[in-house]
Every structure is written in C-alpha cells, then in structure tokens.
C-alpha cells in the first residue's frame, strides 16, 4: 500500500490564493523529502494530510484513508512536528510529552512510559525532568520530535526539523531522522527548503513549486547515471579545461573545480593523462555523486 | 565486567496497547486543565495566586461556620457568601482563564493538540469544564464547611440537618451559576490574546467597567431602571437570578418583577460566550 496518494489535489484560500494546484503524486514508505521554497505549498499539503483543512478539489489518501473523513484513524497513525515554537516553557519535557501522549489516546501509564522512551530516543533522557524554558534550541527541537513519536505513529510529518539549529545540531537532527526512518520502521516525510539536507537522508524526494508538482522520484533514480568526477588542480585550470574539451569531454567549471561526467570507464585515465601531459599539480580527483540540487539548478538559483 | 553492567540498547519498541477514544482524551484534557487552574504540576510561582484566593475563601468559610456554631449568628448565608466573594472570584477568573487558554496560544502548542484526535469543540469544552469546576470548587468547598459546621452543632437533630442541606444545595447551584458566567466571560476574553497580562487585565476590566454602570442606573429616578440596573454587570446579574429563584437569599438585589429577565440574560450570556469560544477555536484549529 502506498504511504500517501493524491489525485488532482487542489487547495485555494478564499478562491484567490492557490496553495496547491492539481497535485498528483504517489509516495512509497521510507524517508521522503518534501522540498520547495517558502510558500510552495508544503505546509498546506501537511495540513491536508492531517485533516486540519479540507482540499478544495481532488483526493488525498494516507495509508489508504481519507483524512477529511477518517480523521481520527489517520491522526492515530501520524505524528506531526510543526515548524514553529510549540512548547510551553514552564513544564518539564517528561510531563509535557506524557500529556500529549494522553491526548493521543494512550492510557496514563502507557503515556508515561512511552514519553520516557521517546525522550530517550531523541537523546533527552537525563534532562527530561527539567523545565523546557531552560532548554537550548536543539533540545527544544528534540522535544518536538519526541512528542510526535510518543504515540508510536507509522508516519512522521516533520515541518522543517532543522529550523534554527547550528551545523552540529543540524547534523544530529538529520542523523536522528534518518535513524527513525531506517531503524524504527516509521516512515518520515520531512519538509525542507534546503535540498542539501534532504538528499543526505531521504530515499525519495517530492519537489513542489507554486503548489504544483515539480518532480517526485527516488533519490537513486534522480542521481543515477549522473555521477561526476571532480578535478582540482592548483594552477592551470583553464588549460586543463581546454585540453579535456579537445578530448570530447563535456567539462563544466564549478568554482575552482572542473566537473566531468563519468560516462566511460576510461574517463579517469583520460583526465589523468591530460593532467600529466600538461604537467599540472593535481590537487584532487574524486568521484562524487551528482547532487540533487543540480537537477533543480535554475530554480535554486532563483530562490536564493 | 559482569554481565549485569552491560547496557543493552533495546532499540525502538512499537506500541500495540490500547488507544482510547475521544471521550478519554476529553477526560485527560479536563483533568489537566483542572490541575493547571490550581497550579498543580506547575512551578511554585504559578501556585501562589490561586492558593491565595483559595486560602481566603476557605478562611472566610471556616470563620462563618465557627461564628454560627458558637453564637448561632448567621452573618452570611450560602448565597450572600458567594456574593461577598465576588471580587475574589473575578480575581481567580483573571488568573485561571489566561492560564488555561492564553498560555496555549502564546506557546504555540495548539497545532500539537489539533494534529491529534482532539477537535476544537473537545478542546474548548474541556477547558470550560475545567474552569467551571475550578471556580465552583472555590465556592462549594467553603459552603460545604459552613454546612458541616451547622450540621454538627445543630440543636434539633436530624431535621435541622435536612433543613440546612435544603439551603446548601441551592447554594451550590448558585455557585455553579457564578462559575458558568465567570468562566464564559473569562475564557472568551482570554482566548483573544496570547499575552497573559493582557488577558487578566481584560477580564478584570470587564467587571470593573460594568460595575459603575450598575451604580449609575440604580440611582436613576425610575423604579424600573433601578430594578433593571443589575443586568448591566455580570456579578449583579448573577445575584439577581439568585434573588429571583430563591427569594429568601437576601442578596440585597432589587429586581422587582424582572426576575425572568435576569435569568434569560444569564442564560443568553453564558450560551453566547460558549458559542463565540467555539467559533473562535474552530478557526484557530484550522490554522
């Protein structure tokens, strides 16, 4: 069964603002990245999946259930982590997550146990009896993640989970999301406007822009057959580029590096020979995966 | 290293126990709100004001019970007791209502609630129930103390106890009316802002602004105007209803023949507050 299935999903606010336009997409279980610029319709999509708002037209199925009709069944299976601050400062994390567990329908003792477990999994076991007001941004994000996990959902909807985190906190959060998706057996839809972090952890990607589907596919399919070699020489970059062009290699400059598509097995040798012939100091030559961002290169440039 | 000292990562455990329905969720929300109203499960700071009010109300109740037991003098009956606590009730409403609703709005916790099997009507219904209970207990417990004091020092045995109980039960109903009116207004005002201080100020302002109106109307030359003056303020409105339904209450309200008007306004006021709250949270929940 598909995780999420939409058919011509459209949402307009007040008949004027179109947040989603004729979105048809099928998402399989796994870690899914939902990418798009701010205002692309990501949050609207999430709210529709939670049954918080009804679509104007079209259908949506989450685990084969219609969120606008079988709201409770869908919500029991889904955990939601909102983008913005959502924590009261004057209670402890343990108490807060326990309370939300009960609101998800867990009995009292089960809620308390699951809250401790969820907080342990996000790495807040020791600090769980401290008041949330004294937590750092990273810890608060973890509490938000824990409350989404407390009722053991089958799907997590994460809206910008790395928002406001420093690079280390960002990596830790991404690792955690990846672990939840790969080890806990919970599917994850993570929203982001940063392709870079999504492609690190996701199996598949749904890109939307202006409420329309841009592309939906597995990351492997998007990056397959598009591996490139990155060549960096300390000097004489232009000469090398000219030499490689003569060898019929489509060279592209990327900062101080040259990118060459890895089409044949002997591309390596050709480059090495060219470098040796020109007697240039080779700084590095490595294969790197084509980054998903490059698939959306013009769009990315427009967003920044 | 012994076998026992090894820490095992037991990994993620799925939950396959029972998941309760919306009724249980409502109950959890209600208990949570009731505890929050008295600052239970919160910091010591948030216990100060509610328990100060509780302390004063209890103290007055105990004193009244003791005075009646010792001297047989009834300084205040169950109705006038509630009336004379009115400013404390307003104070209590101004603490509790923002604690219950403004706080959730301020901290942005509402999306976490409404992504769960909890509807806007469940949420606000539970909050209303919590606050009504909290305000009612504030009056009902001292009333019970007054009753117990009277019941244990009765001179004519069980018949006096029954008579006293006959006074207590309407007194409790009267306290419930206080609780309903003040909850309705308090929560409605508090639901408009996430800032607790503004909400508290707003609630006190509603009562502060309407009291002079009653004063002005009650010195008008027309007797009708005087008897309708109580309608202008929630506190006197409640007293008027009590006076009409239970004429021996001695609330001191001059309502003349307008008793039903007081009751209708009270019912309308409570109903309007509830509907407005519901409409407000229907919108908030969709965000």
């Amino acid at each position: 069964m598909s995780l999420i299935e939409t058919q011509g999903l459209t949402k307009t606010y007040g008949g004027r603002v179109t947040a989603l336009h004729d979105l048809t997409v099928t998402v399989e279980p796994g870690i899914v990245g939902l990418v798009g610029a701010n205002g692309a319709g990501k949050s609207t999509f999430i709210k529709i999946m939670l049954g918080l708002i009804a679509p104007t037209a079209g259908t949506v199925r989450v685990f084969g259930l219609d969120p606008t009709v079988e709201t409770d069944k869908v919500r029991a299976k889904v955990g939601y982590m909102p983008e913005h601050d959502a924590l009261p400062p004057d209670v402890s994390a343990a108490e807060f997550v326990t309370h939300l567990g009960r609101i998800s329908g867990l009995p009292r003792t089960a809620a308390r146990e699951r809250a401790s477990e969820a907080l342990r999994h996000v790495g807040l076991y020791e600090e769980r009896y401290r008041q949330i007001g004294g937590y750092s941004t990273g810890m608060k994000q973890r509490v938000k993640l824990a409350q989404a996990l407390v009722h053991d959902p089958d799907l997590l909807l994460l809206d910008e989970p790395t928002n406001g985190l420093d690079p280390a906190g960002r990596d830790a959060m991404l690792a955690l999301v990846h672990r939840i998706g790969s080890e806990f057996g919970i599917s994850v839809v993570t929203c982001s406007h940063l392709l870079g972090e999504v492609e690190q952890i996701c199996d598949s990607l749904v890109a939307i822009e202006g409420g329309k589907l841009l592309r939906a596919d597995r990351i492997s399919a998007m990056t397959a057959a598009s591996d490139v070699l990155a060549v960096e020489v300390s000097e004489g970059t232009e000469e090398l580029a000219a030499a490689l062009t003569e060898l019929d290699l489509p060279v592209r400059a990327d900062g101080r590096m040259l990118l060459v598509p890895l089409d044949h097995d002997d591309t390596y040798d050709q480059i090495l020979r060219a470098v040796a012939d020109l007697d240039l100091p080779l700084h590095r030559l490595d294969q790197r995966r084509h980054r998903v961002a490059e698939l959306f290169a013009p769009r990315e440039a427009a967003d920044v | 290293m012994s076998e026992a000292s090894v820490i095992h990562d037991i990994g993620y455990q799925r939950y396959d126990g029972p998941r309760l329905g919306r009724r249980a969720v409502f109950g959890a929300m209600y208990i949570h709100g009731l505890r929050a109203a008295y600052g239970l499960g919160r910091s010591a700071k948030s216990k100060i004001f509610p328990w100060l009010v509780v302390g004063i109300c209890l103290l007055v109740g105990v004193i009244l019970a003791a005075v009646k037991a010792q001297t047989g003098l009834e300084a205040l009956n169950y109705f006038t007791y509630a009336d004379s606590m009115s400013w404390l009730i307003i104070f209590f409403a101004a603490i509790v209502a923002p604690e219950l609703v403004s706080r959730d709005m301020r901290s942005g916790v509402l999306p976490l609630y409404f992504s769960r099997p909890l509807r806007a009507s469940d949420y606000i219904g539970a909050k209303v129930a919590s606050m009504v209970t909290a305000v009612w207990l504030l009056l009902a417990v001292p009333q019970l103390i007054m009753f117990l004091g009277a019941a244990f020092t009765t001179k004519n045995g069980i018949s006096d106890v029954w008579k006293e109980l006959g006074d207590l039960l309407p007194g409790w109903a009267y306290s419930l009316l206080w609780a309903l009116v003040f909850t309705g207004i308090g929560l409605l005002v508090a639901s408009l802002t996430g800032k607790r201080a503004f909400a508290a100020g707003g609630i006190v302002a509603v009562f502060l602004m309407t009291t002079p109106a009653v004063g002005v109307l009650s010195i008008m030359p027309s007797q009708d105007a005087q008897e309708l003056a109580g309608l202008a303020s929630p506190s006197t409105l409640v007293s008027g209803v009590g006076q009409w339904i239970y004429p021996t209450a001695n609330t001191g309200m001059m309502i003349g023949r307008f008793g039903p008007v007081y009751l209708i306004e009270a019912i309308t006021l409570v109903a309007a507050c509830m509907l407005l709250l519901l409409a407000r949270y229907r919108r908030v929940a969709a965000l």
Side-chain angles (χ1 to χ4, degrees), chain A residues 203-227:
Chain A
D203 307 327
S204 55
L205 198 82
V206 175
I208 53 177
E209 184 190 35
K212 291 186 188 135
L213 182 69
L214 211 60
R215 190 165 171 185
D217 213 335
R218 302 196 68 79
I219 295 260
S220 52
M222 289 194 187
T223 56
S226 60
D227 288 352

Side-chain angles (χ1 to χ4, degrees), chain A residues 35-50:
Chain A
V35 290
N38 293 330
K42 292 173 301 199
S43 295
T44 304
F45 190 25
I46 285 192
K47 280 172 194 162
I48 290 176
M49 287 192 278
L50 283 168

Side-chain angles (χ1 to χ4, degrees), chain B residues 74-194:
Chain B
E74 192 174 58
L76 294 169
N77 61 27
Y78 297 114
F79 285 77
T80 47
Y81 167 76
D83 282 354
S84 53
M85 293 296 115
S86 65
W87 280 101
L88 284 172
I89 304 173
I90 292 167
F91 188 46
F92 189 70
I95 303 159
V96 173
E99 177 70 27
L100 288 178
V101 292
S102 305
R103 177 175 172 273
D104 284 356
M105 218 168 265
R106 172 82 166 175
S107 57
V109 74
L110 290 172
L112 302 185
Y113 281 132
F114 295 130
S115 59
R116 294 181 147 80
L118 178 86
R119 300 301 145 75
S121 53
D122 299 340
Y123 173 84
I124 199 61
K127 295 286 186 189
V128 167
S130 311
M131 182 159 165
V132 167
T133 313
V135 176
W136 184 75
L137 282 176
L138 184 71
L139 294 172
V141 172
Q143 284 173 328
L144 181 66
I145 292 173
M146 289 160 68
F147 166 76
L148 291 176
F152 281 114
T153 56
T154 174
K155 303 214 163 40
N156 301 322
I158 197 75
S159 69
D160 264 12
V161 174
W162 284 116
K163 191 182 151 291
E164 195 68 33
L165 188 66
D167 287 342
L168 173 68
L169 294 179
W172 272 355
Y174 185 60
S175 298
L176 183 63
L177 183 64
W178 271 100
L180 282 167
V181 169
F182 282 72
T183 298
I185 296 172
L187 286 183
L188 185 62
V189 173
S191 75
L192 298 176
T193 172

Side-chain angles (χ1 to χ4, degrees), chain A:
Chain A
M1 185 173 57
S2 300
L3 189 63
I4 301 158
E5 230 178 321
T6 72
Q7 210 34 265
L9 190 65
T10 301
K11 176 70 192 177
T12 53
Y13 288 106
R16 286 212 215 131
V17 186
T18 304
L20 288 177
H21 183 72
D22 200 18
L23 188 74
T24 301
V25 66
T26 303
V27 177
E28 297 302 323
I31 308 179
V32 183
L34 182 61
V35 290
N38 293 330
K42 292 173 301 199
S43 295
T44 304
F45 190 25
I46 285 192
K47 280 172 194 162
I48 290 176
M49 287 192 278
L50 283 168
L52 286 171
I53 48 179
T56 315
T59 58
V60 59
R61 293 282 180 277
V62 180
F63 298 109
L65 302 165
D66 185 345
T68 44
V69 181
E70 296 176 284
T71 315
D72 290 353
K73 281 189 187 167
V74 172
R75 290 185 187 173
K77 284 168 165 278
V78 176
Y80 170 55
M81 171 176 173
E83 175 183 0
H84 300 291
D85 280 350
L87 305 172
D90 53 355
V91 291
S92 72
E95 194 165 341
F96 182 66
V97 177
T98 305
H99 172 57
L100 285 173
R102 298 209 65 199
I103 301 305
S104 281
L106 301 186
R108 190 192 302 269
T109 38
R112 199 170 299 137
E113 285 167 17
R114 294 262 341 152
S116 295
E117 277 295 284
L119 285 165
R120 181 170 71 83
H121 284 298
V122 301
L124 279 180
Y125 200 66
E126 303 289 327
E127 301 91 341
R128 70 190 193 280
Y129 293 119
R130 274 172 44 196
Q131 298 220 325
I132 296 172
Y135 282 10
S136 69
T137 312
M139 289 161 80
K140 284 181 185 163
Q141 288 294 92
R142 286 159 186 264
V143 177
K144 275 160 68 180
L145 186 58
Q147 65 78 29
L149 270 177
V150 66
H151 56 294
D152 186 30
D154 295 317
L155 169 64
L156 275 185
L157 298 176
L158 311 178
D159 201 344
E160 308 274 358
T162 56
N163 219 2
L165 298 181
D166 60 20
R170 190 172 284 255
D171 288 344
M173 177 56 76
L174 289 175
L176 192 56
V177 172
H178 184 73
R179 198 169 147 235
I180 291 170
S182 52
E183 289 175 31
F184 294 9
I186 298 173
S187 287
V188 180
V189 171
T190 172
C191 262
S192 182
H193 55 270
L194 299 171
L195 262 177
E197 42 180 61
V198 165
E199 68 177 328
Q200 276 177 43
I201 56 165
C202 294
D203 307 327
S204 55
L205 198 82
V206 175
I208 53 177
E209 184 190 35
K212 291 186 188 135
L213 182 69
L214 211 60
R215 190 165 171 185
D217 213 335
R218 302 196 68 79
I219 295 260
S220 52
M222 289 194 187
T223 56
S226 60
D227 288 352
V228 291
L229 285 176
V231 194
E232 191 177 340
V233 286
S234 302
E235 55 190 58
T237 309
E238 285 98 37
E239 296 164 45
L240 180 62
L244 292 176
T245 313
E246 261 174 52
L247 292 167
D248 279 340
L249 290 172
V251 183
R252 210 150 45 79
D254 180 23
R256 293 170 54 207
M257 286 180 296
L258 293 173
L259 299 178
V260 185
L262 184 60
D263 297 332
H264 308 287
D265 291 341
D266 58 349
T267 310
Y268 260 116
D269 299 335
Q270 282 181 302
I271 294 173
L272 280 176
R273 229 172 288 135
V275 173
D277 289 348
L278 291 168
D279 200 16
L280 294 174
L282 182 62
H283 200 67
R284 80 163 164 178
L285 171 62
D286 57 10
Q287 181 179 349
R288 90 173 178 183
R289 300 210 66 137
H290 200 103
R291 291 182 36 232
V292 180
E294 288 158 30
L295 298 175
F296 304 100
R299 199 182 60 86
E300 283 287 291
D303 285 344
V304 171

